[in-house]
Amino acid sequence: MLRFSKRKQYKSFFNICIGILFSLLLISCDTVGSIDKFQHQDTTQIFNGGILAMKHGNYLSAIDHFSALEKLYPDNKYAEKILIYKIYAYYKQNKNTEVLANCDRFLKVYPMSNNIDYVYYMRGVVNMKMNQTIVEKFLPYDPAERDLTSLKLAFSDFNLLIKAFPQSRYLVDARQRMIFIHNILARYYLRVANFYYLHSDYIATINNANTIIINYQTSDSVPYALVLLIKSYQALKLTKEAQLVLQVFHYNYPHSPLSKYILNNTDYKIY
């Protein structure tokens, strides 16, 4: 893992912040007064212009058209379609916050729409993307402090989609994403458990390992969590508890190579 000096970390973080602010300023300047060019167009002309921009991959122009249409003609006949197109256009521009805002707006305004499954799907996809912040991409972080809120929200969105729309065209992909998130969440708790084990905090290790075993039983992190439980109980001189978990481990994973970590005093480090 690359390690940065504090001075370099602060400099990198400062440059990131400046870049973000500059981008926001450019977007703001680009949209000021943009509504004027649509003043003499009717709803169909503006809408078709947005659709044409979408077809050519000009998503900023499409957003410009649809936003102007909403402002000039709030009760226009394309209102529901506009929101759907804006969700996709913002997604293509990596405007995650705007995607989520428009998804929430759509669910509130059109709760009976035939496009609800698409909106839940897109909200889930974007929540998955938002799990890693810009700061985490550039600066090192303590795994025990990472926020899982976005991943959990994504899982909830896909779960709602599957339960409410069993015939949805997005069902298969939503299921695959749920499995992926399920394993990611389990691996996160495994990272945290391992972090605490390496720092001799065995109670915290046991708590996080149990979270995996109870809540993520189908994940591939379970055997590792069991080993951490055994090693932690052994470190705490809780022989009976260690033996019980050892029996569970051997019953479910009789030929696991992880046994070497139990049978000797090898340091246990997953990552």
mmCIF file of all heavy atoms in Angstrom, residues 131-150:
data_model
loop_
_atom_site.group_PDB
_atom_site.id
_atom_site.type_symbol
_atom_site.label_atom_id
_atom_site.label_comp_id
_atom_site.label_asym_id
_atom_site.label_seq_id
_atom_site.Cartn_x
_atom_site.Cartn_y
_atom_site.Cartn_z
ATOM 1 N N ASN A 131 -20.622 4.170 -2.688
ATOM 2 C CA ASN A 131 -20.023 3.574 -1.497
ATOM 3 C C ASN A 131 -18.620 4.107 -1.232
ATOM 4 O O ASN A 131 -18.195 4.256 -0.092
ATOM 5 C CB ASN A 131 -19.960 2.054 -1.651
ATOM 6 C CG ASN A 131 -19.365 1.382 -0.432
ATOM 7 O OD1 ASN A 131 -19.824 1.571 0.680
ATOM 8 N ND2 ASN A 131 -18.331 0.579 -0.649
ATOM 9 N N GLN A 132 -17.882 4.410 -2.291
ATOM 10 C CA GLN A 132 -16.524 4.918 -2.129
ATOM 11 C C GLN A 132 -16.504 6.406 -2.429
ATOM 12 O O GLN A 132 -16.853 6.836 -3.515
ATOM 13 C CB GLN A 132 -15.547 4.204 -3.063
ATOM 14 C CG GLN A 132 -14.100 4.598 -2.821
ATOM 15 C CD GLN A 132 -13.153 3.838 -3.724
ATOM 16 O OE1 GLN A 132 -13.530 3.409 -4.806
ATOM 17 N NE2 GLN A 132 -11.922 3.689 -3.289
ATOM 18 N N THR A 133 -16.105 7.206 -1.473
ATOM 19 C CA THR A 133 -16.050 8.643 -1.642
ATOM 20 C C THR A 133 -14.778 9.042 -2.356
ATOM 21 O O THR A 133 -13.825 8.267 -2.488
ATOM 22 C CB THR A 133 -16.101 9.364 -0.293
ATOM 23 O OG1 THR A 133 -14.899 9.065 0.426
ATOM 24 C CG2 THR A 133 -17.305 8.932 0.518
ATOM 25 N N ILE A 134 -14.732 10.276 -2.816
ATOM 26 C CA ILE A 134 -13.541 10.790 -3.493
ATOM 27 C C ILE A 134 -12.339 10.751 -2.563
ATOM 28 O O ILE A 134 -11.224 10.400 -2.945
ATOM 29 C CB ILE A 134 -13.790 12.237 -3.979
ATOM 30 C CG1 ILE A 134 -14.833 12.235 -5.103
ATOM 31 C CG2 ILE A 134 -12.495 12.878 -4.469
ATOM 32 C CD1 ILE A 134 -15.211 13.614 -5.587
ATOM 33 N N VAL A 135 -12.534 11.113 -1.314
ATOM 34 C CA VAL A 135 -11.428 11.134 -0.355
ATOM 35 C C VAL A 135 -10.839 9.747 -0.182
ATOM 36 O O VAL A 135 -9.615 9.565 -0.142
ATOM 37 C CB VAL A 135 -11.907 11.683 1.009
ATOM 38 C CG1 VAL A 135 -10.789 11.581 2.039
ATOM 39 C CG2 VAL A 135 -12.353 13.133 0.859
ATOM 40 N N GLU A 136 -11.693 8.711 -0.098
ATOM 41 C CA GLU A 136 -11.221 7.346 0.101
ATOM 42 C C GLU A 136 -10.432 6.836 -1.094
ATOM 43 O O GLU A 136 -9.612 5.929 -0.966
ATOM 44 C CB GLU A 136 -12.405 6.416 0.388
ATOM 45 C CG GLU A 136 -12.990 6.618 1.792
ATOM 46 C CD GLU A 136 -14.256 5.821 2.000
ATOM 47 O OE1 GLU A 136 -14.826 5.341 1.000
ATOM 48 O OE2 GLU A 136 -14.688 5.694 3.148
ATOM 49 N N LYS A 137 -10.681 7.390 -2.282
ATOM 50 C CA LYS A 137 -9.947 6.953 -3.462
ATOM 51 C C LYS A 137 -8.490 7.415 -3.409
ATOM 52 O O LYS A 137 -7.607 6.790 -3.999
ATOM 53 C CB LYS A 137 -10.616 7.507 -4.729
ATOM 54 C CG LYS A 137 -11.955 6.868 -5.054
ATOM 55 C CD LYS A 137 -12.554 7.486 -6.304
ATOM 56 C CE LYS A 137 -13.907 6.880 -6.643
ATOM 57 N NZ LYS A 137 -14.518 7.500 -7.828
ATOM 58 N N PHE A 138 -8.235 8.526 -2.723
ATOM 59 C CA PHE A 138 -6.906 9.119 -2.758
ATOM 60 C C PHE A 138 -6.149 9.038 -1.438
ATOM 61 O O PHE A 138 -4.922 9.102 -1.431
ATOM 62 C CB PHE A 138 -7.015 10.597 -3.176
ATOM 63 C CG PHE A 138 -7.414 10.785 -4.607
ATOM 64 C CD1 PHE A 138 -8.747 10.897 -4.960
ATOM 65 C CD2 PHE A 138 -6.457 10.836 -5.610
ATOM 66 C CE1 PHE A 138 -9.128 11.067 -6.281
ATOM 67 C CE2 PHE A 138 -6.830 11.001 -6.933
ATOM 68 C CZ PHE A 138 -8.164 11.112 -7.270
ATOM 69 N N LEU A 139 -6.877 8.919 -0.332
ATOM 70 C CA LEU A 139 -6.219 8.915 0.965
ATOM 71 C C LEU A 139 -6.449 7.600 1.684
ATOM 72 O O LEU A 139 -7.524 7.013 1.564
ATOM 73 C CB LEU A 139 -6.760 10.066 1.822
ATOM 74 C CG LEU A 139 -6.583 11.476 1.252
ATOM 75 C CD1 LEU A 139 -7.180 12.500 2.206
ATOM 76 C CD2 LEU A 139 -5.114 11.785 1.012
ATOM 77 N N PRO A 140 -5.453 7.116 2.447
ATOM 78 C CA PRO A 140 -5.638 5.880 3.217
ATOM 79 C C PRO A 140 -6.666 6.081 4.314
ATOM 80 O O PRO A 140 -6.868 7.191 4.795
ATOM 81 C CB PRO A 140 -4.244 5.634 3.813
ATOM 82 C CG PRO A 140 -3.587 6.971 3.811
ATOM 83 C CD PRO A 140 -4.122 7.710 2.625
ATOM 84 N N TYR A 141 -7.345 5.004 4.712
ATOM 85 C CA TYR A 141 -8.375 5.115 5.732
ATOM 86 C C TYR A 141 -8.375 3.873 6.606
ATOM 87 O O TYR A 141 -7.907 2.809 6.220
ATOM 88 C CB TYR A 141 -9.756 5.310 5.095
ATOM 89 C CG TYR A 141 -10.205 4.141 4.251
ATOM 90 C CD1 TYR A 141 -11.005 3.131 4.786
ATOM 91 C CD2 TYR A 141 -9.820 4.034 2.919
ATOM 92 C CE1 TYR A 141 -11.401 2.047 4.023
ATOM 93 C CE2 TYR A 141 -10.217 2.945 2.148
ATOM 94 C CZ TYR A 141 -11.005 1.969 2.714
ATOM 95 O OH TYR A 141 -11.395 0.902 1.954
ATOM 96 N N ASP A 142 -8.896 4.011 7.799
ATOM 97 C CA ASP A 142 -9.012 2.917 8.751
ATOM 98 C C ASP A 142 -10.256 2.111 8.391
ATOM 99 O O ASP A 142 -11.366 2.653 8.383
ATOM 100 C CB ASP A 142 -9.149 3.506 10.166
ATOM 101 C CG ASP A 142 -9.247 2.413 11.227
ATOM 102 O OD1 ASP A 142 -9.484 1.244 10.872
ATOM 103 O OD2 ASP A 142 -9.081 2.742 12.415
ATOM 104 N N PRO A 143 -10.128 0.813 8.063
ATOM 105 C CA PRO A 143 -11.294 0.027 7.666
ATOM 106 C C PRO A 143 -12.372 -0.034 8.723
ATOM 107 O O PRO A 143 -13.545 -0.258 8.407
ATOM 108 C CB PRO A 143 -10.705 -1.363 7.391
ATOM 109 C CG PRO A 143 -9.407 -1.382 8.111
ATOM 110 C CD PRO A 143 -8.900 0.017 8.071
ATOM 111 N N ALA A 144 -12.013 0.149 9.973
ATOM 112 C CA ALA A 144 -13.008 0.097 11.042
ATOM 113 C C ALA A 144 -13.909 1.321 11.056
ATOM 114 O O ALA A 144 -14.900 1.352 11.791
ATOM 115 C CB ALA A 144 -12.308 -0.031 12.399
ATOM 116 N N GLU A 145 -13.577 2.344 10.246
ATOM 117 C CA GLU A 145 -14.360 3.574 10.269
ATOM 118 C C GLU A 145 -15.153 3.800 8.993
ATOM 119 O O GLU A 145 -15.816 4.818 8.846
ATOM 120 C CB GLU A 145 -13.420 4.768 10.491
ATOM 121 C CG GLU A 145 -12.718 4.737 11.845
ATOM 122 C CD GLU A 145 -11.766 5.903 12.018
ATOM 123 O OE1 GLU A 145 -11.575 6.651 11.043
ATOM 124 O OE2 GLU A 145 -11.227 6.057 13.112
ATOM 125 N N ARG A 146 -15.091 2.874 8.065
ATOM 126 C CA ARG A 146 -15.763 3.083 6.782
ATOM 127 C C ARG A 146 -17.273 2.976 6.909
ATOM 128 O O ARG A 146 -17.798 2.112 7.610
ATOM 129 C CB ARG A 146 -15.261 2.061 5.760
ATOM 130 C CG ARG A 146 -15.796 2.332 4.370
ATOM 131 C CD ARG A 146 -15.080 1.510 3.342
ATOM 132 N NE ARG A 146 -15.514 1.875 2.004
ATOM 133 C CZ ARG A 146 -15.028 1.338 0.901
ATOM 134 N NH1 ARG A 146 -14.092 0.445 0.981
ATOM 135 N NH2 ARG A 146 -15.466 1.710 -0.275
ATOM 136 N N ASP A 147 -17.984 3.856 6.202
ATOM 137 C CA ASP A 147 -19.442 3.905 6.254
ATOM 138 C C ASP A 147 -20.022 2.992 5.176
ATOM 139 O O ASP A 147 -19.665 3.090 4.009
ATOM 140 C CB ASP A 147 -19.909 5.346 6.032
ATOM 141 C CG ASP A 147 -21.414 5.500 6.211
ATOM 142 O OD1 ASP A 147 -22.054 4.536 6.655
ATOM 143 O OD2 ASP A 147 -21.929 6.581 5.910
ATOM 144 N N LEU A 148 -20.941 2.122 5.585
ATOM 145 C CA LEU A 148 -21.563 1.178 4.652
ATOM 146 C C LEU A 148 -22.972 1.596 4.254
ATOM 147 O O LEU A 148 -23.703 0.823 3.649
ATOM 148 C CB LEU A 148 -21.624 -0.211 5.296
ATOM 149 C CG LEU A 148 -20.288 -0.881 5.583
ATOM 150 C CD1 LEU A 148 -20.516 -2.206 6.293
ATOM 151 C CD2 LEU A 148 -19.498 -1.092 4.318
ATOM 152 N N THR A 149 -23.361 2.805 4.596
ATOM 153 C CA THR A 149 -24.738 3.246 4.392
ATOM 154 C C THR A 149 -25.196 3.090 2.945
ATOM 155 O O THR A 149 -26.288 2.566 2.672
ATOM 156 C CB THR A 149 -24.908 4.710 4.828
ATOM 157 O OG1 THR A 149 -24.543 4.836 6.206
ATOM 158 C CG2 THR A 149 -26.352 5.159 4.646
ATOM 159 N N SER A 150 -24.382 3.542 1.993
ATOM 160 C CA SER A 150 -24.780 3.494 0.585
ATOM 161 C C SER A 150 -24.985 2.064 0.091
ATOM 162 O O SER A 150 -25.938 1.786 -0.639
ATOM 163 C CB SER A 150 -23.736 4.203 -0.287
ATOM 164 O OG SER A 150 -23.719 5.581 -0.011
#
